Amino acid sequence: IVWGGDPTVGFGFDGLESSVYQALSLGTSGVGIWGSDIGGFFAFPPNSLTPDLYDRWIQFGALSVVMRSQKDGFNLLSPTPRPQPWSEEHQSLWRKYAKLHTQLYPYIQAAAEEYYASGMPLMRHHLLTDPQDAQAHGRDDQYLFGPNLLVAPVLTANTTTRTVYLPEGDWIEWWRSAAYREDDGSFALGDLLMHTGGSEITVAAPREEIPLFVRAGALIPLLAPDVYTLAEHGADDPTVIRLADRLDQLHLLAFPRGESSGSFYDTGTYTSSEAPGQWTLAMDDNTARTIHLQANLHALLQSFTPCAVHVGDSALANSAWQYDAATGVLRVVYRSDAGALRVLDCGSGG
């Protein structure tokens, strides 16, 4: 694990912006496991850790490989105390992004396995992912986090919009298509907002949001939202839900489109395939798991209204799945060892 050193408290040089540059530069140099001091370390006048800067750094930290805060740092003649994750102004945002980072563990681990095997870093400069796209690899203020998430940190103060270049393909805007639920820390799919790549767009970036996009066709594997820690401590406390307590579950946010494949954890793989009036999801994993699937069928090249869902050779009862025609979101809970999932429309013989 490589630590980014003692950055300056600030948006610009040696601060948040430079931390993004450092992560991508290290990645292209073969260092794939990295994290920064959230909030920075050295606060020299006129710099100070403002609430705006702290929130923006929390968001970037959550979509870095290692999410770690800097509690104290060095403050020279600073009249205000340093913001902390537990302070009232920041606690809900810290929880939101810590939940996102923790739940992304199956996705992050799979990306780490790719790094160990090939050298492809987890935080990926577009030069590595889109080498033929000059507009993409000319950007050093955005990156791919793993294979399917595009991140565009906000790097200027008091900013509520962000210009992003989307490489070729179709991209789904995360915060317009998935809602965070404060009550249990989960993410729920809703209406879909998709953009066609190969161009620059300007998107909303309110203070509580980092612009984040999902590659159309991708499945994002998540831990159960009630997982409190990835560590082993707390085994004697039934109120602490650990990673080990939920390894028999996998939550999936799916945006099926055409043919795609991917991985989760260190051994699991999936294949998503679209045919007229049918979507099939096949999963291969050494561990049998309960799959909690949310899939937005409006992402399909030819969207349809499902009338039947099969797992393996068995049709699920209508009460075992739900479909929202307004949003296109299908919800199913099933066992991965029961066979592939097939979703059929009403004209496909289902």
Side-chain angles (χ1 to χ4, degrees), residues 30-347:
V31 178
I33 310 296
W34 175 92
S36 64
D37 280 347
I38 290 175
F41 185 84
F42 286 109
F44 297 112
N47 289 343
S48 64
L49 185 54
T50 65
D52 179 36
L53 173 60
Y54 191 51
D55 285 348
R56 293 305 190 186
W57 213 317
I58 289 171
Q59 296 160 19
F60 170 61
L63 293 162
S64 302
V65 189
V66 180
M67 183 183 184
R68 64 186 295 270
S69 66
Q70 172 55 251
K71 177 179 179 293
D72 296 313
F74 179 82
N75 294 291
L76 180 64
L77 305 177
S78 176
T80 58
R82 184 183 177 95
Q84 300 292 347
W86 54 82
S87 62
E88 184 175 354
E89 183 174 3
H90 303 285
Q91 187 178 104
S92 62
L93 185 127
W94 176 273
R95 181 175 187 269
K96 172 181 177 178
Y97 282 93
K99 280 288 187 182
L100 175 62
H101 183 83
T102 301
Q103 289 174 58
L104 280 171
Y105 178 73
Y107 176 84
I108 293 172
Q109 185 182 3
E113 293 297 328
E114 182 181 358
Y115 166 61
Y116 302 146
S118 70
M120 176 65 77
L122 283 74
M123 301 173 74
R124 304 173 179 183
H125 195 290
H126 288 303
L127 182 65
L128 301 176
T129 61
D130 301 274
Q132 305 306 317
D133 188 336
Q135 290 192 68
H137 64 66
R139 302 294 295 256
D140 51 16
D141 60 352
Q142 61 180 63
Y143 58 94
L144 282 186
F145 187 53
N148 294 314
L149 294 176
L150 191 155
V151 185
V154 174
L155 303 176
T156 53
N158 303 314
T159 301
T160 57
T161 61
R162 174 65 153 85
T163 299
V164 184
Y165 179 79
L166 299 177
E168 292 294 332
D170 296 308
W171 296 89
I172 293 150
E173 202 169 332
W174 176 275
W175 299 113
R176 306 285 84 78
S177 306
Y180 169 70
R181 291 176 170 170
E182 173 70 28
D183 57 344
D184 65 357
S186 67
F187 293 86
L189 295 190
D191 289 326
L192 189 77
L193 180 57
M194 185 157 51
H195 302 275
T196 300
S199 63
E200 194 174 75
I201 63 171
T202 299
V203 297
R207 185 171 138 183
E208 69 275 9
E209 291 180 7
I210 184 172
L212 177 62
F213 300 83
V214 184
R215 191 189 304 275
L219 275 71
I220 306 300
L222 302 173
L223 293 180
D226 62 351
V227 171
Y228 182 80
T229 176
L230 304 180
E232 290 300 313
H233 74 269
D236 298 329
D237 185 348
T239 66
V240 176
I241 306 299
R242 301 165 300 138
L243 169 65
D245 299 322
R246 294 291 185 264
L247 285 175
D248 62 342
Q249 299 184 25
L250 188 68
H251 290 241
L252 292 178
L253 301 185
F255 305 91
R257 190 171 183 83
E259 305 285 330
S260 62
S261 61
S263 56
F264 54 93
Y265 289 119
D266 54 348
T267 58
T269 61
Y270 71 82
T271 301
S272 171
S273 57
E274 176 183 354
Q278 181 173 305
W279 172 52
T280 301
L281 173 61
M283 305 190 69
D284 186 10
D285 189 12
N286 291 340
T287 301
R289 308 180 198 271
T290 298
I291 306 298
H292 299 256
L293 173 67
Q294 299 180 62
N296 197 316
L297 302 187
H298 285 174
L300 292 167
L301 293 169
Q302 297 181 341
S303 181
F304 61 84
T305 298
C307 73
V309 177
H310 292 205
V311 176
D313 296 327
S314 301
L316 297 183
N318 289 342
S319 59
W321 57 277
Q322 301 82 41
Y323 179 70
D324 185 336
T327 62
V329 175
L330 171 73
R331 291 179 170 83
V332 189
V333 178
Y334 69 100
R335 293 285 298 175
S336 63
D337 54 349
L341 178 92
R342 289 187 301 125
V343 182
L344 306 173
D345 81 352
C346 293

